[in-house]
Amino acid sequence: MTDTKTNTGDVDDFIAEADTGARAPKGRFNRNVLWAVPLIWSLFQLWIASPIPYEIGFGVVNNAQARSIHLAFAVFLAFTAFPTFKSSPRHTIPIHDWIVALVGAFCAGYLYLFWDGLADRSGAPNQMDIAAAVVGIALLMEAARRSLGLPLMAVAAVFLAYVFFGSYSWLPDVIQWRGASVERAMSHMWLTTEGVFGVALGVSSGFVFLFVLFGALLNQAGAGNYFLSLAFATLGHLRGGPAKAAVIASAATGLISGSSIANVVTTGTFTIPLMKKVGFSPSKAGAVEVSSSINGVLTPPVMGAVAFLMTEYVGISYVEVVKSAIVPAAISYVALVYIVHLEALKMGMKGTSRMNPVIFILSAVFIICIGIIIAGGTLYIAGLAVGAAESLLGAAATYVIIALFLAGYVLAVWYAAKGPDLELSVESMQNLPPTREIFKSGIYYLLPILLLMYLLMVERKSPGFSAFWSASFMLLTLLTQKPLKAFFRGEGQIKARIVEGFWEVTEGLIAGARNMIGLACAMAVAGIIVGSVTLTGVGQVMAEFVEFLSGGNLMLMLVFVALISIILGMGLPTTANYIVVSSLMASVVVELGAQNGLIVPLIAVHMFVFYFGIMADVTPPVGLASFAAAAISGGDPLRTGFQAFFYSIRTALLPFLFIFNTDLLLLDVTLLQAIMVFVVALIAMLVFASGTMGWFLVRSRLWESVVLVVVALTLFRPGFWLDQIQDPFVQMPPAEIFALAEEAPPDGELRVGLEGMTLDGDFVSSTFLLPLGDVGADGFTRLSQTAGLDLVERDGQIVVDLLAFGGTAEQMGIDFDWIVTTIEVEAERMPKEIFFIPALLVLGLIALIQRRRMPNRDEEALA
């Protein structure tokens, strides 16, 4: 408890500096501005997401205008809520900050304020347009520096410098370009949707704000405390229980928060002191919390805003992104629980429960699976019920469904009111009521999450629509939960509880907006980087550079991409890191993979980049989450960061597996296959954790650790060994392409090797996966209509004769007069899963050897 008191001030300062703004003005006017502006921002975002403007024909703004207003709020608050430097005054807003805040907001809102004039002179900006763009970009970068630190601003400055000075002769020839005038660059960056006001800021304005607001409201209502208490009541009695509870609590908090730093502070304030109390060192206690919290960013539905960006960049639905993310996130969290268990074993900790570790892991997995099945079944049944109601009641069904849902909410609050409310303190975490009582006390917190998932997964509504109605329900929950509980308990004072609920709604709206300041600035500054890439073509230069360094070797290239992500991650938030690296490197991975005969799905590449991007808040020397944890634990920030990075090695392994085994992302697998993938991948991850931690049943010898790692990699990618024995593809002559295309199944694909010169004079030899569409046509027609290329026989060779403008083949980079070199058809060979048998036998042998070394089996069985 002493540690908590000592460090609370540091933690509050850190979270304010990192997320919400460190200024706390004492003057009434300044204080009211920082109260009212975030509140108005949240109300504006709810307004434009609601159907009301369209119903009444007032207050309608298009996407570009909404982005402009969204950024104006963010820039204004960045200058008023964040001091210029750490030494700058925090209890007042200096006059110069007022000036730059207003100027910055004006420049950011320029697109909205002068929308009609800009549309009339599109492509021919006047002097005022250029001046607003120049000042706006400068102030935006300063706003990002204040709210996010120097690194993101520095990276954007480098890209901007390249835009203007990329033509200078002192640059290497390979990266030179013709350069751009101030007018062209500023118009591209600020006056169009190619730069600052591009896809990233559109996602921030349209989706992310509402999800962050939803999380803030849910936390304001007490859901964070509920999930934390539930985790401690369930796991706190086990060996290393507080650490295991920290992992599960951070996973649950990740459902409602996209910020790893906020996750660390929300749960770490309670978990870290308790971890230290049972024997974890300050650095290890902080590292467990950091590793758990950054993994919260992997957990759907928010995923640190990256999920919504992926839908735009990859061109797939949000449901597909969630499906791809769910298995890696689940096995990563279970593995972290196991790592914590191994740490507790190594330190000789005891628990009050006698449960075998294997039984514990199996029980945890079983509970997770049952939870997923129950949630999925509930959503499925709800979908059937809604469909039946709509068919029976027609238009009136909507009102009936809403009434039933609200009745269910009131019933859940009545059930929760039977027990006392949860207290929030370190002492209360050590004396919690039974799990059943805790679950009952906040069961109604599950309703908004289920509503969100129902709208997204069953109704397939847009993320913005789903988040709006879920956030609206949370506003109702905040306003009514205390009055309803007071009524059901017969406590009276209903009016006072309603007033209390109103102020909680207000505080939740303000917290949501202030949590968005840095994220909105990050999205906008990332737009500068993306705009520089599209304007200069530096992405292709980066691709050629990485290809040169890797010598065309796919594995080396992946390592370089991972290193670039980690280096950028030493200061960029996860979202900005993802935008930058995916813009530069995603096409490189796809292209080099094809050249190595490996067709890499774009979602796998983006998940690869994302997973390394989350290391942004861990990687020393500037891992902000590690500093936040160290502020709570009193440990060394760098030691905490390195320890957290070691715990996160399992997270760094997964991205490489995405590339070579897309089954982990549930791409093109059946339900039975998905279950098998989850089980095998989970076993593999636990074995990998044992190998890297040096402990399985007892402390492992070096050769045992090596064997365990090999077993894990075999389970993760059994196809590697099969490829050494049997070739995965049979090479067919190019002349067979039309016959093979005609025989392919509906919506099938054809692996085709092509080579030739591009318009830029570069020679390309690569493999492409050409879609063929439905059957019912000859091979030539299927290739032409679906893949978008006409092939003809010329001088004994199959040559690309025509390309459909904007077609699939053109988007893949195929050019005229390229020659078909080969057709690859999947070979008939033994199933790759056959290698699971020797891997599991070796695992059993290691278990048998180590079991003989166990000094006291009864004692080791304690969990």
Side-chain angles (χ1 to χ4, degrees), residues 426-474:
V426 175
E427 288 86 351
S428 67
M429 290 296 162
Q430 296 176 273
N431 300 283
L432 287 168
T435 303
R436 182 182 65 259
E437 294 298 319
I438 295 176
F439 179 75
K440 181 175 71 174
S441 71
I443 191 171
Y444 60 93
Y445 292 133
L446 302 178
L447 291 177
I449 298 175
L450 287 173
L451 174 63
L452 177 65
M453 301 313 295
Y454 172 79
L455 292 173
L456 285 170
M457 301 293 186
V458 179
E459 293 290 338
R460 299 294 179 102
K461 300 295 185 183
S462 70
F465 179 94
S466 305
F468 167 75
W469 287 108
S470 300
S472 299
F473 178 65
M474 276 311 308

Side-chain angles (χ1 to χ4, degrees), residues 771 782-790 800 802-805 807-810:
R782 295 183 75 181
L783 286 166
S784 177
Q785 292 183 352
T786 308
L789 80 167
D790 290 356
V800 178
L802 290 174
L803 286 170
F805 179 73
T808 303
E810 187 186 53

Side-chain angles (χ1 to χ4, degrees), residues 605-664:
V605 178
H606 281 257
M607 289 291 287
F608 180 92
V609 172
F610 171 43
Y611 262 63
F612 280 105
I614 69 166
M615 297 297 178
D617 292 330
V618 177
T619 314
V622 288
L624 296 181
S626 299
F627 278 83
I632 300 171
S633 69
D636 179 73
L638 291 181
R639 184 173 296 176
T640 301
F642 281 116
Q643 185 68 53
F645 187 80
F646 175 73
Y647 287 156
S648 301
I649 286 176
R650 77 204 186 287
T651 305
L653 170 70
L654 284 170
F656 287 96
L657 300 170
F658 297 158
I659 302 297
F660 296 102
N661 184 7
T662 56
D663 288 351
L664 288 170

Side-chain angles (χ1 to χ4, degrees), residues 46 61 66 78 163 287 316 387 390 465 468 499 502 513 603 606 705 711 741:
L46 288 169
V61 294
V163 168
I316 61 177
E390 289 175 344
F465 179 94
F468 167 75
V499 172
F502 173 79
I603 180 64
H606 281 257
S705 294
V711 168

Side-chain angles (χ1 to χ4, degrees), residues 479-787:
L479 193 62
T480 60
Q481 62 172 348
K482 289 187 176 179
L484 284 173
K485 284 184 177 180
F487 173 77
F488 289 133
R489 290 168 178 167
E491 296 173 349
Q493 299 182 328
I494 305 297
K495 185 177 179 181
R497 297 300 185 193
I498 292 175
V499 172
E500 190 176 346
F502 173 79
W503 287 113
E504 287 194 345
V505 166
T506 304
E507 292 303 316
L509 291 170
I510 293 170
R514 293 193 66 154
N515 287 340
M516 271 299 299
I517 299 172
L519 188 53
C521 289
M523 297 282 210
V525 173
I528 295 176
I529 299 167
V530 174
S532 300
V533 172
T534 57
L535 183 63
T536 64
V538 69
Q540 185 59 38
V541 174
M542 287 287 292
E544 292 173 357
F545 179 66
V546 170
E547 184 177 358
F548 169 76
L549 288 178
S550 64
N553 182 281
L554 181 61
M555 183 57 72
L556 279 178
M557 184 271 302
L558 291 173
V559 171
F560 282 124
V561 173
L563 289 175
I564 290 171
S565 300
I566 290 175
I567 291 170
L568 286 175
M570 290 183 178
L572 267 66
T574 301
T575 309
N577 190 338
Y578 165 74
I579 294 170
V580 174
V581 183
S582 63
S583 300
L584 291 173
M585 306 309 302
S587 60
V588 185
V589 178
V590 173
E591 182 180 333
L592 283 184
Q595 291 178 14
N596 284 266
L598 180 68
I599 305 298
V600 184
L602 197 55
I603 180 64
V605 178
H606 281 257
M607 289 291 287
F608 180 92
V609 172
F610 171 43
Y611 262 63
F612 280 105
I614 69 166
M615 297 297 178
D617 292 330
V618 177
T619 314
V622 288
L624 296 181
S626 299
F627 278 83
I632 300 171
S633 69
D636 179 73
L638 291 181
R639 184 173 296 176
T640 301
F642 281 116
Q643 185 68 53
F645 187 80
F646 175 73
Y647 287 156
S648 301
I649 286 176
R650 77 204 186 287
T651 305
L653 170 70
L654 284 170
F656 287 96
L657 300 170
F658 297 158
I659 302 297
F660 296 102
N661 184 7
T662 56
D663 288 351
L664 288 170
L665 301 179
L666 302 185
L667 299 180
D668 300 322
V669 298
T670 63
L671 177 61
L672 188 60
Q673 289 173 325
I675 294 171
M676 183 176 180
V677 165
F678 173 73
V679 172
V680 174
L682 179 60
I683 294 171
M685 185 57 78
L686 298 180
V687 174
F688 182 79
S690 293
T692 53
M693 291 291 291
W695 192 289
F696 186 33
L697 299 182
V698 294
R699 190 177 301 278
S700 299
R701 299 188 175 106
L702 179 60
W703 71 268
E704 291 173 334
S705 294
V706 172
V707 170
L708 287 173
V709 171
V710 172
V711 168
L713 296 178
T714 301
L715 294 174
F716 271 126
R717 196 192 167 206
F720 172 80
W721 302 109
L722 183 58
D723 291 345
Q724 311 307 310
I725 300 172
Q726 295 178 310
D727 291 330
F729 298 101
V730 176
Q731 307 293 321
M732 302 294 288
E736 298 288 327
I737 188 168
F738 299 116
L740 291 171
E742 185 174 350
E743 294 168 3
D747 296 318
E749 295 170 318
L750 200 61
R751 292 175 62 95
V752 180
L754 288 160
E755 65 180 26
M757 302 293 292
T758 66
L759 292 176
D760 297 328
D762 298 323
F763 178 78
V764 175
S765 178
S766 190
T767 304
F768 300 89
L769 200 60
L770 301 178
L772 297 175
D774 293 332
V775 291
D778 58 72
F780 177 87
T781 304
R782 295 183 75 181
L783 286 166
S784 177
Q785 292 183 352
T786 308

